[in-house]
Amino acid sequence: QSELTQPPSVSEVPGQRVTISCSGRRSNIGTNGVNWYQQFPGEAPRLLIHDDDILPSGISERLSASRSGTSASLAISGLQAEDEADYFCGAWDDTLAGPVFGGGTKLTVL
Amino acid sequence: QAQLVQSGAEVKKPGASVKVSCKASGYGFTDNAMHWVRQAPGQRLEWMGWISVGTGNTNYLPKFQDRLTITREKSASTVYMELHSVTSEDTATYYCARDLELLAGTLDVWGQGTTVTVS
């Protein structure tokens, strides 16, 4: 299965900025937009960003994202304790004709 | 407001089948595709398959091709996921998720999840 690669964990102190990377292949990130999801323990994922950099209504503007080639990144500025969660990237894969996901990155706010 | 409500937790013996339902409300049920995604404890999200609710067309991840069936009942605004011949490796939380567009893999509304335990 074509899967996306993320770092297992990142950490930063409150108020600072953190970035989470996501790498894939030409058949997914290289061709299609990237989505980012947030998940708290015991809860369903929530869509944070879609089509590379679009924030759905209600999502904090402290979040931003970008895509270049077969990689993408999510940035969270002004870190708050409430940002501590797992973050997953996802993208449509043309080979599978379905979405693929990253392994998730656990964000710890120190 | 779009919402997906899934059926309750299931406990199954190895070799059995499990069927999970996902009832949609608050939007045009046939306007979007519906995906099923599962997550084993501490693991990544794993896409399993989708159904185009309007047409009934489906596509499954190859590893599930032989034992996964996704159907829909338009009159009940409900999508079903049935997994056959389950093993302990199928123990996971199963989510239905709406595609933001007709079919783009952008999952903007998620069900609350259904825990399936195979033991």
Side-chain angles (χ1 to χ4, degrees):
Chain A
Q1 179 178 355
S2 298
E3 297 170 336
L4 309 181
T5 301
Q6 299 180 236
S9 63
V10 295
S11 61
E12 188 52 88
V13 299
Q16 294 302 305
R17 182 176 185 268
V18 69
T19 61
I20 298 172
S21 62
C22 174
S23 64
R25 303 182 180 187
R26 186 167 61 182
S27 61
N28 42 64
I29 295 179
T31 308
N32 302 296
V34 176
N35 308 309
W36 290 91
Y37 304 88
Q38 178 189 55
Q39 186 179 35
F40 295 105
E43 296 187 9
R46 175 175 72 144
L47 180 67
L48 290 182
I49 287 179
H50 65 93
D51 294 298
D52 297 332
D53 58 7
I54 300 176
L55 275 66
S57 174
I59 300 300
S60 171
E61 293 185 354
R62 295 185 294 108
L63 275 64
S64 62
S66 63
R67 174 172 67 107
S68 178
T70 57
S71 295
S73 65
L74 169 71
I76 307 174
S77 60
L79 270 177
Q80 302 175 1
E82 67 199 47
D83 296 323
E84 192 162 285
D86 292 323
Y87 293 83
F88 294 88
C89 57
W92 185 265
D93 189 278
D94 289 341
T95 302
L96 291 176
V100 289
F101 298 98
T105 299
K106 180 175 180 58
L107 169 61
T108 299
V109 181
L110 300 170
Chain B
Q1 177 179 347
Q3 187 177 14
L4 302 174
V5 178
Q6 299 181 219
S7 49
E10 301 268 9
V11 178
K12 295 293 180 181
K13 296 289 188 186
S17 296
V18 63
K19 190 171 186 176
V20 180
S21 67
C22 170
K23 183 172 177 59
S25 62
Y27 72 98
F29 180 59
T30 59
D31 291 347
N32 308 72
M34 195 77 79
H35 299 259
W36 286 91
V37 177
R38 76 178 186 179
Q39 187 175 37
Q43 301 300 309
R44 71 172 65 218
L45 300 170
E46 180 178 40
W47 172 73
M48 300 176 69
W50 54 255
I51 184 167
S52 173
V53 177
T55 65
N57 291 340
T58 57
N59 183 47
Y60 304 137
L61 188 65
K63 68 180 281 187
F64 296 115
Q65 188 70 43
D66 294 336
R67 61 188 190 101
L68 175 63
T69 305
I70 301 175
T71 57
R72 92 294 195 211
E73 185 177 349
K74 288 196 279 187
S75 63
S77 297
T78 300
V79 173
Y80 303 92
M81 184 282 298
E82 187 168 23
L83 189 62
H84 309 278
S85 304
V86 297
T87 72
S88 59
E89 310 244 307
D90 296 313
T91 293
T93 298
Y94 290 74
Y95 295 100
C96 60
R98 185 186 78 164
D99 203 304
L100 176 64
E101 302 174 28
L102 186 61
L103 190 63
T106 300
L107 309 184
D108 72 326
V109 181
W110 293 67
Q112 82 276 20
T114 296
T115 301
V116 175
T117 303
V118 182
S119 177

